[in-house]
Structure formats: structure tokens, C-alpha cells
Amino acid sequence: MTNFFSNRQRIKGAAAQNLLKDIWRNRWLYIFVIPGVFYFLIFKYIPMGGVVIAFKDYTPFLGIVESQWVGWKHFERLFQNNDFVMLFRNTILISLYKLLFYFPVPIILALMLNEVRLKVFKRFVQTVIYIPHFFSWVVVAGITYVLLTTEGGIVNEFITWAGGEKINFLGQNAWIRTLLTLQTIWREAGWGTILYLAAMSAVDPQLYEAAKIDGAGRFRQMWNVTLPCIRSTIVILLILQIGNFMDLGFEQIYNMINAGNKDYGNVFDTYVYTIGIKEGQFSYSTAIGLFKSVIGLILVLGSNYLARRSGEEGIF
Amino acid sequence: MRKSGLADRSFDTINVLLLIVISLICILPFLQIVAGSFATQQELMEKKFVLIPEVYSLDAYRFIFSDITIPKSMMISVFITVCGTIINLVLTSITAFALARRGLRGRRFIMFLIVFTLLFDGGMIPAYLVVKELGLINTYWAVMIPNAISAFNLILMRNFFMSLPEELFESAKIDGCNDLKTFIQIVIPLSMASMATFMLFYAVNHWNNFMMPFLYLNSPDMWPVQIWLRQIIIMATADFGDFGASIEIPSQSLRMATIVVATLPILLVYPFIQKHFVKGVMIGSVKG
């Protein structure tokens, strides 16, 4: 029987047969993976391809393929627009505020929780500080409005009671960035402790014993034992945070900005919504979105590269 | 020795006190809203800060439920949450399972494709155009399908499936199970705890989602409760002038009651799921 085939053909045929056999044997895995692959292709990769309309004059009538190519026109318009400076400044400032004022909070909170000896109390505090994470941004905005409004909001009532003037927190440029940062801290800081606490629970207790014998107090132990041990977790979360630098979240900001504070609060996401969905300038707003995504990609790859170079693991 | 004991004790005391203050900061704003929603308008006007109302009043709730709008929107939210979560769980788990098994060819490549979506996305407008081209605008599919799988959850779930011992799959195979049977009869029961966590995360996301219905559901008849919440609380605020003057400004207690109603389901399930999710967050993210 072997004489009928050359060796190579036989191997090829057998390999093909093996492949088919293999696929048949694992057919459920292929069936399982197909819907997911289609999901990512349709809802993630087609939109990635869809960014070509940033280089075209997209009209719904002609569709993506037929619309005219216009090169960098929309980007030129964006970079010459005064709004661009405003959006860029707002995005960077709000992100920086979050990096500076939000990022360290979960670490500090986790360090504090880690020092609690009474298990019941620790669990109680955890239960309470996780709750805000489960409120939607609309609810968070709602709570902010109810508390800060000049019409009977408790904060302003307190200010007038203490002899001060009412402050229009909600409709004023001066307050929007602070409010957004405080909202983020209030909603996410407790939740953010989970990963740090997990990392801390993995620290070898002998290290604390050794530090104690060397005469280290509680602060010293935190600084010289706990923090170095959770460094890789901190670095990973920092990379993720920097990777999200341009993604401030549409929901939070859209629910907080209004005519009075949009000069300081408008960011790329909210602007894209207004220009694109509301005004129907699809190509121009896609160009803005693409600019944002590219900067985001560079930031996450860059911070990951830096983390790896400084001897940390990085996320990929 | 005694000195360090004293330092230790004062450290503990300050730490505990600070944590109590932080806990209060986390919960007081919301408690004030809950209390305020039960207070009368008059008491709110007079006292401002109400943690225990003197006179309980259900007026705000009566007002909310006297009209069909909010109850209906809650039913819609429940519908979106239940159906959306089922879609999420089924799709995420079968994809994660297939990608966790060695038998699947090209799984490294597919994983790369999935991880890449975490790094780069086309943005709001191209995604909107895809949903529009598929004819999903003004259908509930539009708020469920574009979020059908979270790449992040998928990766976590795959890590979890990969941590199951290989012998499990081998012995299942020897007993004559194909992968479908193995998945349903062995893997699912083993991963109930982590499934429950993912279910919670997905469900909370659906319940709280504002952007998707805001983008894709144009008809107020179809709006879930989060959008109405925005209409009542934010659009009707009179602090600034550019929004619809035609909307009547609701009383403080009505706003508060709407917030409570919109968070009610989460507050109801929170105590039951609380003990599970900490484990869930750490599945696959921290080893050992």
C-alpha cells in the first residue's frame, strides 16, 4: 500500500487527515470560540477599521467605502481649532489630578486596613468602603447635586450657617475638576484597596518579625517591608492608570458638565459625543477619537516599556 | 519595650479612628439621601441635615410610583440586566473555556486579538456606526450585544479555567465526556463561586449603564431608570440656565427618592454577594 504514494505525499495527506481528525475531536472548542471571535471582530475590529472615516468625508448615504478620501483635513481642522487646546488641557489636567490625588489613596487605605488587628472591624470597614463603587455615575452625580446645590444643598447651608457666602459648586469652571477628582476618590478608593490588600496578605510574616527585632516601628515596617513587597502590584496598577490617561470616562463627566463649567470640564470623550452623535459630524469626531486612542496606546506601551526596563514585570 | 507598646497602641487608636471617619465619609452622603427621601419637604427645608426624619413621609415615593414612567423604566432596567447578564455569562464562559484548552488551534493568536482590544479601540463614533449599520438602534440588542464580552473578564475567567487541573479533563475524557459535557457537568459546577462574581460584575454594569442606552435608545418609552434619574436630578436643576426650562423642578425629597429607587436593587443584593466578590476580583490577577 505504501508504494502507491511518495513519502512526502503520504505525510502531507496524513497531516491533513490528522488536522481534520483533531478538529473533529475538539469540535466543541471550535464551536465555543466562534461566537466570541465574531463578537470581537464585529464590535471591536470593524470599528478599528472604521477609523478610516477620519481620513474621509463620511456621508451616511455613500457609506464608509464610497466616501471621498480627504487626507489629514480633519486633523488639521482639529489642531487649528481653539477647542483642541481646551480639550487637551482639560484631559491632561483631570488625568493628572487623578494620578496625583486618587492613585495613592487606595494604597494608603490598604496600608491602614492591613494594620487593623481586629478582624471584625476590618471586615466592617471594607464592607462600607466598597459600597460607593456599586453606585452608577448618574447616582454619584445625583448625590453630588443634592448635596452641593445652592438651593438647600447641605454643604451650602453649612457654609451660610458658618457665615460664608453660598458657592455655586456645580455650575462654575473653578470647581469642576476638583469635583470630578473627589467623586473618583469617593467612588473608587475603597474598591481599589482589594488588590493591594491581596498583595499584602501574601507578605511573609517573618519579614515583620525580623523588622521588629531590628527595632522598626509600625511606620518603619510599612515603609521598609509592606511597600517594597507590593511594589509590583503598584507598578501594574500605575501602568493601567496611565494607560487610561486619555479615557476619563464619558459617563462621569457628561453628567457633571454644563454651560457654566464646560470650559474646564469638557474632555475628548464628551466633545466627541457632542460633535459626532449630536451634530452628526462623523468624520471630524472620529478624527478626535482616533487622536485620543493613539495617544492612549502610546502611553500604555510607553509606561509598560519603562516598567520593564526598571526591572518590573509589566502587564505584557 | 513599654515605650514601643505605647507607640503601638496610639498608632492603633489613631488608625482605627481614621478608618471610622473614612467609613462615615463613604456612607454618610448616601444615608442622608435615604433619610431625606423619607422626610417631609418641610423638615428638609427647616433642618437641612436629616439623618433620622421626625415625621416619616412616603410622599416622594408615592409621587414616583403614581406615574407609570419610573416603574416601567425599572422593569426595563431589570430586563436589560437579566438578559444582558445571561448573554455575558454564556459568551464569556464558553469563549474562555475554549481558549483555556490546549486542543484549540490558534488560541494564542485569538488571545492576542483580544488583549489588543484593551490597548486600542476605534472610539465612540465607529462603534456607533457599526451598531447603526446593523440596524440595532432603538432595540434592546444595542445595549446588550456591543458589551457582550468584557475582554478583561474573559482573561480573568480563562486564567481561572487554566488553573483547573489537567487530570480533571483527562479523566472526563476517559469517562466518555466530550468537551461540551465536560464543560456543563464538570467545569460549571466547579466554578460556581467565580461565575457568581462575574455575574455580579456584569449585572451591576448593566444596571448602572448610562452611556449605551443614552446613545442607542432614542425613544423615552425605552429608557432604563438611569436615564430618567438624569432627567429628574440633573436636567431639572436650576443652578444654570441652559437646560430645558419646561421641566418642573422636583422637590429635594423627590430627587433623593429617585436616587434611592435607582440604587435599590444593588443595595438589596450587596449583603448577599459581598463575601464572594473579593475572591472574584483576585481570580487570576494575583497568583498564590
Side-chain angles (χ1 to χ4, degrees), chain A residues 70-82:
Chain A
V70 294
W72 296 92
K73 179 180 136 187
H74 298 295
F75 291 92
E76 281 162 20
R77 183 182 153 200
L78 172 65
F79 298 139
Q80 282 159 10
N81 195 332
N82 281 337

Side-chain angles (χ1 to χ4, degrees), chain A residues 253-279:
Chain A
I253 298 181
Y254 190 75
N255 283 309
M256 291 303 295
I257 58 170
N258 52 58
N261 61 23
K262 69 176 175 12
D263 294 339
Y264 277 32
N266 221 349
V267 295
F268 286 106
D269 288 316
T270 50
Y271 193 76
V272 166
Y273 170 78
T274 318
I275 300 293
I277 310 281
K278 264 181 156 173
E279 294 179 17

Side-chain angles (χ1 to χ4, degrees), chain B residues 71-106:
Chain B
K72 190 178 154 201
S73 72
M74 289 189 76
M75 294 308 291
I76 292 171
S77 285
V78 169
F79 171 77
I80 292 173
T81 304
V82 171
C83 295
T85 307
I86 292 171
I87 294 173
N88 288 146
L89 278 182
V90 171
L91 284 183
T92 311
S93 61
I94 61 172
T95 316
F97 178 72
L99 289 171
R101 306 280 284 118
R102 277 201 217 115
L104 187 82
R105 277 155 202 276

Side-chain angles (χ1 to χ4, degrees), chain B residues 76 79-80 138-145 217 221-223:
Chain B
I76 292 171
F79 171 77
I80 292 173
N138 273 335
T139 69
Y140 289 121
W141 295 115
V143 294
M144 299 190 280
I145 300 294
L217 303 176
D221 279 347
M222 300 180 79
W223 281 352

Side-chain angles (χ1 to χ4, degrees), chain A residues 19 22 30 39 45 48 112 117 127 134 136 147 150 154 157 186 198 218 251 255 258 273 293, chain B residues 12 15 25-26 48-49 105 113 121 145-146 208-211 214 226 230 239-240 266 270 274 282:
Chain A
L19 178 67
D22 196 53
Y30 290 92
Y39 164 77
Y45 280 90
M48 281 184 207
M112 291 170 71
R117 283 163 189 175
T127 304
F134 291 93
S136 71
L147 298 183
T150 46
I154 184 166
E157 290 304 321
W186 184 73
R218 302 283 281 274
E251 297 201 0
N255 283 309
N258 52 58
Y273 170 78
S293 292
Chain B
D12 279 332
N15 191 28
I25 291 171
C26 283
K48 311 301 178 192
F49 185 75
R105 277 155 202 276
L113 285 182
D121 74 288
I145 300 294
N208 284 342
N209 200 335
F210 166 79
M211 186 169 138
F214 189 63
Q226 300 292 339
R230 174 189 163 82
D239 277 345
F240 25 82
I266 286 165
Y270 184 76
Q274 208 257 109
M282 298 189 288

